[in-house]
Amino acid sequence: MKIITIVGARPQFVKAAVVSRAIEKHNSRNAGEKIQELIVHTGQHFDENMSAVFFDQMNIPKPHYNLEINSLSHGAMTGKMLEKIEEVLLKEKPGWVLVYGDTNSTLAGALAAKKLHIKVAHVEAGLRSFNMQMPEEINRILTDRISDILFCPTQTAIDNLKNEGYDVIDIEQVKCGDVMYDAAMFYKSRANQPQGLNISSNFVLATIHRQENTDDAEKLEAIFAALEEIAKDKNIVLPLHPRTQKKLDEFKIVPTKNIIILEPVGYFEMIWMLSNCDLVITDSGGLQKEAFFFKKPCITVRDQTEWVELLEHNVNFLTGHHTDRILDTYKSIQNNQINFDLNLYGTGQTGEMIIKELNAFSGTI
């Protein structure tokens, strides 16, 4: 059985590595029923750090194809990916195409496969922000609808699909847990303290990079006003995205020395900071979950989140960009005990469950 895995962004490589390890384990146990996996990197997020060192350190299989498609508009990028992925699929003739998450690469991979009548499996299916202004929301909705099997990380994702009528659509749905939990548990022993960071505890980890925050002067100023106030009480460590730095310069926002600015960090460094911080403040999607994995409360400076179960269990708090709400939430967290003794994202066996379910679904692997 041949599987083509489509990835286009650095987090997708980490997620795909979880399933690749499960495929290796399957092959070691089933000599006569091996799975062949070929990885296609669309090049969507061009990253100089996606070097051989990155793949070697993280034990991630190197791509068999690199399409080098990036720096285009959404339409041009998705169209070019569709064309090039189709060429690969026609050449390789896989039984399955496996896609992750909600990027343009995800949608292009699913579309190319479906038009060639190749089965599609979507990992991280069923997630919804209910904000159709987000290109990610469009990508995930369309990918779900044309897939053959949907691997849902949470019960919330299953419920979203039910509310959209998927109970009467011939698409398999599996609640499997979250591949990022598998990854965090696998890599946590390799965590490294970032170079230049001279504190090892009692700090807040912050990341601000989302366009809706960085490109709006009023929002960015309000968020940094809250960070400056919190920094009077506790150091803030801020790995700074280049887009955020550019906008800080443009809007003449100058962080004080209590906000410790770092260059963008790698996954191992981020895991170290998650392990050692007291609190996370972010507008990232994935970091909200990872804060929970490492039992840290999270303030999310967005108006929506896909991870509503974190809100429901009072481990993640949605504040938007509003200074007062961020500060009030920070004070509340300091004064309350938070329960992290919850199983929301599986037991760390998601990769193996995905391969097991694909096996059962196809009956041929």
Side-chain angles (χ1 to χ4, degrees):
M1 183 65 180
K2 183 185 288 187
I3 293 174
I4 295 283
T5 294
I6 308 292
V7 287
R10 190 167 180 159
Q12 289 178 322
F13 278 93
V14 179
K15 296 167 188 175
V18 170
V19 178
S20 294
R21 283 193 294 274
I23 290 173
E24 289 180 8
K25 188 175 290 188
H26 169 91
N27 287 344
S28 69
R29 295 172 177 172
N30 300 273
E33 300 177 346
K34 290 187 180 294
I35 301 170
Q36 180 187 9
E37 182 191 30
L38 299 178
I39 296 176
V40 176
H41 178 20
T42 65
Q44 177 172 344
H45 291 176
F46 176 74
D47 185 346
E48 291 181 357
N49 292 322
M50 292 285 281
S51 63
V53 173
F54 170 75
F55 293 99
D56 292 341
Q57 285 181 342
M58 300 193 74
N59 300 122
I60 294 174
K62 294 179 177 64
H64 299 81
Y65 293 89
N66 192 329
L67 307 183
E68 299 182 348
I69 301 168
N70 51 67
S71 302
L72 299 171
S73 67
H74 282 291
M77 183 183 293
T78 306
K80 192 72 172 176
M81 288 176 182
L82 181 59
E83 175 188 357
K84 294 300 182 181
I85 292 170
E86 182 181 65
E87 292 176 5
V88 173
L89 299 183
L90 287 169
K91 176 183 176 182
E92 296 291 349
K93 297 179 173 58
W96 284 93
V97 166
L98 194 57
V99 296
Y100 291 82
D102 52 25
T103 67
N104 291 337
S105 303
T106 308
L107 178 58
L111 277 171
K114 201 65 177 178
K115 286 177 179 290
L116 294 174
H117 309 294
I118 298 168
K119 289 185 175 66
V120 177
H122 184 200
V123 178
E124 291 189 321
L127 301 180
R128 299 291 184 267
S129 68
F130 304 102
N131 179 2
M132 291 300 290
Q133 298 301 309
M134 296 174 60
E136 295 90 347
E137 184 79 347
I138 298 165
N139 290 340
R140 61 173 72 108
I141 289 172
L142 294 177
T143 300
D144 281 348
R145 186 58 186 85
I146 62 175
S147 294
D148 295 276
I149 187 166
L150 300 174
F151 290 110
C152 302
T154 63
Q155 185 59 45
T156 302
I158 293 286
D159 293 343
N160 287 338
L161 294 173
K162 181 178 180 179
N163 291 336
E164 293 175 12
Y166 275 74
D167 283 357
V168 295
I169 299 174
D170 188 22
I171 300 175
E172 190 81 8
Q173 302 161 49
V174 179
K175 180 185 172 184
C176 63
D178 196 303
V179 286
M180 286 306 289
Y181 181 63
D182 292 32
M185 296 304 99
F186 181 82
Y187 291 119
K188 67 179 181 179
S189 63
R190 308 184 189 189
N192 290 324
Q193 185 168 351
Q195 285 189 334
L197 182 61
N198 298 318
I199 57 173
S200 59
S201 63
N202 196 36
F203 66 90
V204 174
L205 170 61
T207 70
I208 308 296
H209 75 275
R210 213 167 192 84
Q211 194 168 350
E212 65 196 60
N213 285 327
T214 60
D215 290 6
D216 186 309
E218 182 181 348
K219 289 183 177 181
L220 197 59
E221 287 170 359
I223 291 168
F224 269 83
L227 294 180
E228 292 288 3
E229 195 63 31
I230 293 169
K232 294 176 182 177
D233 177 55
K234 190 171 292 196
N235 280 318
I236 291 178
V237 177
L238 177 65
L240 198 57
H241 193 285
R243 179 172 63 241
T244 310
Q245 180 65 73
K246 180 180 177 182
K247 291 299 181 179
L248 289 175
D249 294 341
E250 180 181 332
F251 301 142
K252 296 181 170 55
I253 302 171
V254 182
T256 63
K257 64 180 181 180
N258 287 334
I259 298 179
I260 301 169
I261 304 294
L262 299 180
E263 295 290 322
V265 299
Y267 185 64
F268 294 159
E269 288 76 18
M270 186 61 74
I271 286 179
W272 184 93
M273 289 190 288
L274 283 164
S275 298
N276 290 277
C277 72
D278 296 333
L279 167 72
V280 173
I281 300 176
T282 189
D283 59 8
S284 166
L287 201 60
Q288 298 173 49
K289 284 185 305 174
E290 290 170 329
F292 173 75
F293 298 161
F294 289 92
K295 302 184 185 304
K296 303 300 164 67
C298 181
I299 296 173
T300 300
V301 291
R302 288 169 53 183
D303 295 322
Q304 306 98 4
T305 180
E306 298 81 2
W307 309 108
V308 295
E309 60 280 349
L310 296 176
L311 305 181
E312 292 167 353
H313 288 88
N314 295 312
V315 295
N316 186 11
F317 306 89
L318 212 59
T319 64
H321 66 279
H322 309 287
T323 304
D324 290 345
R325 287 175 59 185
I326 296 169
L327 294 176
D328 288 345
T329 303
Y330 172 76
K331 292 171 186 174
S332 176
I333 289 171
Q334 305 308 302
N335 296 327
N336 291 290
Q337 193 74 22
I338 295 178
N339 176 29
F340 289 97
D341 189 20
L342 305 163
N343 180 0
L344 300 179
Y345 297 105
T347 61
Q349 304 297 317
T350 298
E352 293 184 28
M353 184 180 292
I354 287 171
I355 295 306
K356 180 181 177 181
E357 292 294 333
L358 280 177
N359 182 25
F361 184 85
S362 66
T364 59
I365 295 180

